[in-house]
Each structure stands twice: as structure tokens, then as C-alpha cells.
């Protein structure tokens, strides 16, 4: 039996993945749904590494290669097709994709952006779910990721819950991440939701969105959990996008920011300011990459954290826009360290300061834990010196205006939303 290595690529956008329906122009599995797929060898029969092949197929079949970022390459697996006398060696890939407009070639008759559990009910190429299973998010994705922000991780948390619920509903318990847990489908999924929630207990948006999904479940069945997780994921994507759009209506033409926030990036994309001032955001230096991102669309000035407050004034900023790790019920904002002095400097310079986030980042309770980064980032010498290297600081409500998908919020609005989050958090207690 001949062995042929192939790639299967999932492009993910807003919690959905792109599926392509194969035309009669392809040599196998015509009319069936697949991810972006193709041979590892090129048209001349020359071997390529799988990632090179994956990117080439994405370019040829979708035109989206410039919009994708590799998330994960999964372990390969073998699929024997006795009728064709071929043993496929499948190399699965997951890419995040910033665009959704697909330019297909003759190998595709139809495209669809779908939530991955749709794979379980469509007529697909052999073992397409196995390819997704090799790259899909797991609890460990939420627990161990130190690259992405909390909003991004909250979507991954909902994807884990959605996919596991779909598998439970389909009776595929052999595939379940929580298969070793005792109890029926609801009990196992409730335990999984609690585990994901605790995986990043400091990220309020992860907990709020999982609580929103689980509190919406009415009949305590896997199908109901899948529906609730999917609906909550869709709600989250919309909320993040609308919050950025609302904020874009309030900002001026000379915008300042710090650290890295997907929501702030969306604000800048929507508002299209003429100039952007960015603090370097030590010790991680996230601001450097942010400045590079904006450089193609605006006049960008990158400055040091120490100079940022001064530059807000002399650079003539009209708006300071920041993200939020969380908003406390009294309107105070927890965000990357440096936010508080920036906001206070903005107030002194008569610069508007907006913290932009979805309402799911409003904390149910006022408590928040101080987090410290590695002391060696600040000092790695031998002297007897205590090092303080906090991750976040706390900005007073008087120095910042909170903007969400519901518009500009006052402190009464924030407390009301916090109360709703508190009520939803009682799902595990039956409350």
C-alpha cells in the first residue's frame, strides 16, 4: 500500500473554522467537506516540510495566507484507504485567521465557516474530526498559555467546553478530555467547566464567560451545554467587537496607548487616528510589537514608560486608550502595570482616558490578587535588594472612563453588571 503524507489545515476565526467542499477536480473524496488540504510533496513530486506545504495550500485554496498565524501543529496520524490502496499520513495544523473572505480555486465548490462540532454531522473526508482533535484547545491551553490576553483565552475556554459537550452528546466518550471523571454527561461537563474556570482563576473574563454559559443551561444535558457554550462564544465575539466600535466613536486623532490589547488594536483599526503614541511597556516590552503593528497605518512614536506621562502632554495626545484585565464593581480598573500613572498623567494633561473592554471583564467582587513577575526581569545581581515587579496596577475610577459594548458606563451601571455576574456564578450550587 502506497504511503502519501498530506496536510489538513483548520483556519479559525471567531471560534469557527473554515470548511471546504471538494469538487470533481480533486482526485479523491469529491463532494465531501474538509479543511484546507493537500499533499506534502509539491506538484513536481519534491518533498516539502509539512508547514511549508500547509501555507502553500492555504494560499492556493483560500488566498488567506497573509492573514493566518500558526497556533499549533498536531501529531500526525495514519488513515488507510483500502479502496484506493493508499495510506494517508495526515499532518494537522491550526491557524488563527484575521480575515474571512475566501478566494477558492477549482478544487472547491462551496465554503462554510462553522463551529467545529459541525464536523461530527457533515459528510467529511475520513477522520476529519481526528485532525481537529489533534489541534483543538484543551484545558492545558487555557492553563499554560502566557502569550495571549484574557479575552483570547476566554474564547478558548468556551471552545473546550463546546467541543467536549458535543462529543458527550454524540456518545464519543472515548475521545473526551474528561472521560475519567465519574458521573453522567452533565456531571462530567460541570466538573470540566469548573476545572477550566480554575485553570486561570485570576482571569475574571474566563470565569464570567464560563459562568454565563453554564447558567444558561436549562435541561442539564450535553446538547444543552454545547448550545450554551456556542451561544456564549458568539456573544463574546460580538461584545469584544462592539466595545471597540463604541470606543472608536469617542477617541481623537492623536491616540496614546500602552501594553498589548486586542480590543485596543481594534479601536485603532476602526478609528484610524493620524498618530499613535505607544509606551514600551516594560518589563515584557509588549509595546514595541504594538508600535510595529500600527506603523503601517499611522505616524507612530514609541517612548519609554518613564517618559510616557510627560509625552502625553508635550506630544499633544487627545486620548489615552487602554485595555482592562478587569473592572472592579466600584469602577476601578486593574490593568497592566503602568496604566495608573498613565491615567493620572492623562488627567493632569486634560487628556481623555478610556478603558475599553466587554462587560464580561467586570468582576463580580472587589477582590483581586497582586501578581508578581520574575524578579530577575528587574534585578539579577547579588546585592541584598527586595524587588517589586508587579504585573498589574489599580487605576482609580475617577481617572478612567469605562467603555463597553453597552456604551460608556457609570459606577452604578458597573455595579449592576457585577451583580448579574455574581448571580450567574451560582450555577454550580444550583443557585
Amino acid at each position: 500500500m502506497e504511503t502519501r503524507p498530506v496536510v489538513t489545515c483548520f483556519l479559525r476565526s471567531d471560534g469557527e473554522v473554515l470548511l471546504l467542499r471538494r469538487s470533481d477536480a480533486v482526485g479523491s473524496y469529491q463532494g465531501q467537506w474538509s479543511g484546507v488540504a493537500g499533499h506534502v510533496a509539491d506538484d513536481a513530486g519534491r518533498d516539502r516540510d509539512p508547514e511549508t506545504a500547509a501555507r502553500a495550500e492555504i494560499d492556493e485554496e483560500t488566498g488567506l495566507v497573509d492573514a493566518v498565524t500558526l497556533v499549533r501543529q498536531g501529531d500526525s496520524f495514519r488513515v488507510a484507504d483500502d479502496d484506493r490502496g493508499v495510506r494517508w499520513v495526515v499532518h494537522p495544523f491550526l491557524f488563527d485567521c484575521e480575515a474571512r473572505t475566501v478566494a477558492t480555486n477549482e478544487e472547491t465548490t462551496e465554503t462554510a465557516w462553522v463551529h467545529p462540532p459541525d464536523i461530527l454531522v457533515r459528510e467529511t473526508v475520513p477522520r476529519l474530526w481526528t485532525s481537529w482533535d489533534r489541534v483543538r484547545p484543551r484545558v492545558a491551553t487555557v492553563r499554560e498559555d502566557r502569550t495571549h490576553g484574557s479575552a483570547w483565552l476566554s474564547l478558548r475556554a468556551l471552545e473546550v467546553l463546546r467541543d467536549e459537550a458535543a462529543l458527550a452528546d454524540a456518545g464519543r466518550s472515548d475521545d473526551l478530555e474528561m472521560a475519567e471523571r465519574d458521573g453522567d454527561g452533565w456531571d462530567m461537563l460541570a466538573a470540566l467547566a469548573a476545572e477550566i474556570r480554575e485553570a486561570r482563576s485570576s482571569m475574571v473574563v474566563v470565569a464570567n464567560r464560563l459562568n454565563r454559559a453554564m447558567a444558561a443551561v436549562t435541561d442539564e444535558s450535553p446538547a444543552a451545554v454545547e448550545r450554551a457554550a456556542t451561544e456564549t462564544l458568539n456573544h463574546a465575539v460580538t461584545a469584544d467587537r462592539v466595545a471597540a466600535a463604541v470606543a472608536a466613536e469617542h477617541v481623537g486623532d492623536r491616540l496614546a496607548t500602552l501594553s498589548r490589547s486586542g480590543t485596543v488594536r481594534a479601536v485603532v483599526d476602526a478609528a484610524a487616528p493620524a498618530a499613535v503614541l505607544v509606551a514600551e511597556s516594560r518589563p515584557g516590552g509588549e509595546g514595541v510589537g504594538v508600535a510595529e503593528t500600527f506603523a503601517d497605518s499611522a505616524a507612530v512614536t514609541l517612548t519609554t514608560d518613564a517618559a510616557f506621562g510627560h509625552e502625553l502632554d508635550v506630544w499633544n495626545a487627545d486620548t489615552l486608550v487602554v485595555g482592562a484585565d478587569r473592572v472592579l464593581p466600584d469602577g476601578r480598573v486593574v490593568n497592566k502595570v503602568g496604566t495608573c500613572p498613565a491615567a493620572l498623567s492623562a488627567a493632569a494633561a486634560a487628556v481623555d482616558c478610556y478603558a475599553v473592554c466587554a462587560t464580561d471583564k467586570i468582576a463580580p467582587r472587589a477582590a483581586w490578587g497582586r501578581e508578581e513577575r520574575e524578579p530577575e526581569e528587574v534585578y539579577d545581581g547579588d546585592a541584598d535588594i527586595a524587588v517589586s515587579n508587579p504585573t498589574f496596577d489599580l487605576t482609580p475610577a475617577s481617572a478612567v472612563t469605562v467603555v463597553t459594548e453597552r456604551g460608556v458606563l457609570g459606577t452604578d451601571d458597573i455595579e449592576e453588571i457585577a451583580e448579574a455576574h455574581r448571580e450567574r456564578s451560582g450555577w454550580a450550587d444550583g443557585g
Side-chain angles (χ1 to χ4, degrees), residues 53 56 59 82 174 182 184 195 224 256 326 344 346 365 401:
D59 191 25
D82 295 333
D174 56 312
D182 295 329
D184 59 17
E195 181 180 346
R326 69 179 61 195
L344 295 176
R365 297 168 181 83
T401 299

Side-chain angles (χ1 to χ4, degrees), residues 4 6 8 74-79 87-92 126-134:
R4 297 181 190 173
V6 294
T8 295
D75 293 336
S76 62
F77 63 95
R78 296 179 175 238
V79 180
R87 181 183 294 107
W88 309 108
V89 180
V90 182
H91 296 269
R127 296 185 66 183
L128 184 60
W129 179 267
T130 302
S131 290
W132 173 246
D133 191 62
R134 296 292 172 102

Side-chain angles (χ1 to χ4, degrees), residues 335-409:
N335 196 46
K336 172 68 187 288
V337 66
T339 301
C340 179
L344 295 176
S345 296
V351 173
D352 292 330
C353 178
Y354 296 106
V356 187
C357 63
T359 52
D360 283 335
K361 283 200 171 182
I362 295 174
R365 297 168 181 83
W368 69 285
R370 178 183 174 92
E371 293 185 24
E372 290 276 344
R373 296 174 64 103
E374 293 298 322
E376 290 79 12
E377 292 180 327
V378 176
Y379 180 72
D380 62 356
D382 298 328
D384 185 13
I385 297 174
V387 175
S388 175
N389 187 15
T391 303
F392 303 111
D393 63 21
L394 186 63
T395 300
S398 60
V400 63
T401 299
V402 176
V403 182
T404 73
E405 74 276 16
R406 298 189 188 182
V408 175
L409 300 183

Side-chain angles (χ1 to χ4, degrees), residues 37-277:
H39 295 277
V40 170
D42 64 16
D43 292 340
R46 296 184 294 263
D47 287 336
R48 300 177 288 186
D49 70 88
E51 184 180 341
T52 298
R55 292 183 181 275
E57 295 299 329
I58 291 170
D59 191 25
E60 294 170 10
E61 297 185 14
T62 72
L64 292 171
V65 69
D66 292 333
V68 301
T69 302
L70 178 63
V71 177
R72 184 175 303 109
Q73 178 178 353
D75 293 336
S76 62
F77 63 95
R78 296 179 175 238
V79 180
D81 188 330
D82 295 333
D83 292 338
R84 290 178 171 81
V86 174
R87 181 183 294 107
W88 309 108
V89 180
V90 182
H91 296 269
F93 288 85
L94 173 62
F95 293 84
D96 274 341
C97 189
E98 294 184 349
R100 290 170 70 97
T101 301
V102 183
T104 60
N105 61 13
E106 71 282 355
E107 296 180 358
T108 299
T109 61
E110 189 179 355
T111 66
W113 289 95
V114 302
H115 286 276
D118 209 51
I119 293 170
L120 296 170
V121 297
R122 286 183 182 246
E123 183 182 3
T124 70
V125 299
R127 296 185 66 183
L128 184 60
W129 179 267
T130 302
S131 290
W132 173 246
D133 191 62
R134 296 292 172 102
V135 297
R136 68 186 175 96
R138 308 280 181 163
V139 175
T141 306
V142 180
R143 180 186 300 113
E144 298 169 8
D145 186 284
R146 293 297 181 271
T147 301
H148 298 92
S150 59
W152 189 92
L153 284 169
S154 73
L155 301 185
R156 307 294 80 83
L158 291 167
E159 288 173 0
V160 175
L161 183 62
R162 173 202 63 195
D163 291 353
E164 297 291 354
L167 286 170
D169 185 52
R172 299 275 291 275
S173 59
D174 56 312
D175 291 338
L176 294 179
E177 180 163 320
M178 74 284 190
E180 295 182 358
R181 295 178 176 86
D182 295 329
D184 59 17
W186 164 257
D187 289 338
M188 290 190 294
L189 290 166
L192 177 66
E195 181 180 346
I196 304 169
R197 190 173 61 177
E198 290 304 310
R200 297 303 285 271
S201 58
S202 66
M203 290 184 171
V204 68
V205 68
V206 173
N208 279 344
R209 286 178 169 168
L210 286 167
N211 289 339
R212 181 185 292 275
M214 295 302 288
V217 175
T218 56
D219 61 3
E220 297 191 354
S221 68
V225 174
E226 181 194 347
R227 287 194 300 272
T230 301
E231 290 170 1
T232 302
L233 203 159
N234 291 338
H235 173 275
V237 168
T238 300
D240 291 339
R241 183 180 296 123
V242 172
V246 171
E249 297 176 356
H250 292 271
V251 304
D253 207 36
R254 295 182 66 80
L255 184 151
T257 191
L258 54 83
S259 190
R260 178 179 56 229
S261 164
T263 306
V264 171
R265 178 179 175 182
V267 173
V268 174
D269 289 343
V276 181
L277 173 69

